[in-house]
Amino acid sequence: MNVIELHSLTKTYGKSRGITDITFHVEKGEIFGFIGPNGAGKSTTIRTLLSLIHPTSGSATIFGKDCIEFAPEIAKEVGYLPSEVFYYDNMKVMDLLKYSASFYKKDCSKRIKELAEELNLDLSKKIDELSLGNKKKVGIIQGLLHEPKLIILDEPTSGLDPLMQQKFFELLKAENEKGATILFSSHILSEVQRLCDRVAIIKDGKIVQVERISTLKENNHKKIKIEINGEVDPSYFELEGVNNLEMKDQHVSFLFRGNINTVLKKIANIEISNLWIEEPDLEEIFLHYYEKEA
């Protein structure tokens, strides 16, 4: 069963760009990445899903129910962390979280304390006394305190230090193991690579690809670095399947897609002192994919 389904979802804002024909689905129990640069349309898609804005055309469902028509019902089972969080400054953290919990008609106090302990957050402080990172932690707890079936995260790690990011990812994996489905939106590719099963790439308000992370990484792309002895003309490496060719001093690097033997035969004809063949990270594949589209 698909927890989220979007069909030709479109939102236009007069002359400025919104989103066009967004179609993808998120399966039950999946951690699904939604990736693209800032301004690509990720937040617009998420806000439409959450019925915070209405689509111009197309449709979106969560748990098989129309997102607009059944918005209040759906909201009970969804945890949402927006990219920026704003609160009543004078409230204490605990009071704010209790207020949030009151919407779900269940006792969340034990869960709030557990999450605060894990994220090292002082519940007795006032909101305006908190750093940006601690305000983000309040948002994380707010999104998870009612143990939702679907967690929607929009750029969730901004403001968190690397140690806390690691903690946060562990928390998400634990929620996922308990059965929660996660939609994780980010422009930071390494995060998506670490966490997600599949990914939708969005550019200029349109989906350019939906792919398994493993396929995206493998897909016959290899990152090749060579240390050469002597001079070699750059045109020597202009083979079919070679992208992002860079030559600096004695070092040559490029992405290659195709039969690796072609490259090895070519390299065998020149003097080299070292050779590295690696899996490229998602960032390089992603940038190459964008260039290809352009």
Side-chain angles (χ1 to χ4, degrees):
M1 177 194 153
N2 296 329
V3 170
I4 298 175
E5 283 194 18
L6 290 85
H7 294 286
S8 303
L9 195 68
T10 300
K11 175 67 182 175
T12 51
Y13 296 100
K15 286 181 181 172
S16 61
R17 194 189 68 240
I19 51 172
T20 310
D21 281 336
I22 301 288
T23 300
F24 66 82
H25 69 271
V26 179
E27 293 162 19
K28 190 176 184 199
E30 185 172 31
I31 304 182
F32 188 90
F34 190 35
I35 195 156
N38 290 327
K42 301 187 298 294
S43 293
T44 300
T45 306
I46 286 172
R47 285 173 192 149
T48 310
L49 256 183
L50 293 161
S51 187
L52 298 171
I53 52 178
H54 283 214
T56 308
S57 62
S59 67
T61 62
I62 292 179
F63 310 127
K65 297 169 184 168
D66 181 88
C67 285
I68 307 297
E69 197 181 335
F70 296 96
E73 202 177 306
I74 291 167
K76 291 174 189 168
E77 299 293 352
V78 175
Y80 168 52
L81 177 63
S83 51
E84 290 177 31
V85 286
F86 300 100
Y87 297 121
Y88 302 113
D89 282 354
N90 283 325
M91 277 182 106
K92 283 189 175 167
V93 175
M94 190 60 179
D95 295 338
L96 177 82
L97 293 172
K98 277 183 177 167
Y99 174 61
S100 297
S102 69
F103 290 98
Y104 300 106
K105 309 273 191 292
K106 57 176 166 180
D107 183 9
C108 305
S109 45
K110 182 170 174 265
R111 181 78 180 136
I112 291 169
K113 286 190 177 112
E114 282 171 4
L115 288 166
E117 210 167 289
E118 254 185 273
L119 293 170
N120 194 19
L121 179 69
D122 185 346
L123 294 171
S124 63
K125 282 199 167 180
K126 279 190 173 179
I127 299 288
D128 63 354
E129 293 171 1
L130 300 180
S131 65
L132 174 66
N134 281 330
K135 280 182 183 167
K136 199 76 180 198
K137 290 179 197 176
V138 176
I140 293 167
I141 296 173
Q142 214 174 12
L144 300 180
L145 56 79
H146 57 300
E147 299 182 85
K149 289 181 188 165
L150 171 64
I151 301 165
I152 296 179
L153 307 158
D154 192 0
E155 302 283 353
T157 59
S158 60
L160 295 179
D161 63 56
L163 272 176
M164 202 42 72
Q165 283 183 25
Q166 178 62 36
K167 197 77 169 155
F168 174 56
F169 289 143
E170 284 166 14
L171 202 56
L172 289 182
K173 281 178 182 162
E175 289 303 303
N176 179 243
E177 278 161 22
K178 284 194 283 184
T181 304
I182 299 171
L183 174 64
F184 187 99
S185 160
S186 179
H187 67 280
I188 302 166
L189 302 150
S190 55
E191 294 185 347
V192 171
Q193 200 168 330
R194 266 169 76 183
L195 209 61
C196 301
D197 310 312
R198 289 189 307 134
V199 63
I201 300 172
I202 185 169
K203 177 192 178 192
D204 297 339
K206 293 177 183 170
I207 298 289
V208 290
Q209 193 178 16
V210 178
E211 197 63 272
R212 291 211 154 275
I213 291 280
S214 53
T215 311
L216 206 58
K217 282 182 74 182
E218 288 156 13
N219 214 3
N220 293 332
H221 276 96
K222 292 281 179 278
K223 183 179 179 179
I224 298 176
K225 289 192 281 187
I226 310 162
E227 197 176 335
I228 53 177
N229 292 329
E231 295 288 314
V232 178
D233 192 271
S235 62
Y236 187 79
F237 295 101
E238 284 172 8
L239 302 168
E240 191 183 336
V242 167
N243 290 291
N244 301 14
L245 178 67
E246 285 180 19
M247 293 188 76
K248 195 176 179 188
D249 304 326
Q250 305 305 111
H251 293 89
V252 182
S253 70
F254 53 87
L255 281 183
F256 179 74
R257 184 179 177 180
N259 187 336
I260 195 80
N261 292 298
T262 321
V263 174
L264 294 177
K265 281 173 189 164
K266 193 83 172 162
I267 292 169
N269 295 322
I270 55 171
E271 280 291 314
I272 68 166
S273 50
N274 221 331
L275 169 68
W276 299 264
I277 300 176
E278 304 166 355
E279 292 292 329
D281 61 28
L282 197 53
E283 187 135 5
E284 288 160 308
I285 296 169
F286 186 65
L287 289 172
H288 159 61
Y289 193 87
Y290 261 31
E291 281 161 12
K292 194 172 73 180
E293 283 290 307

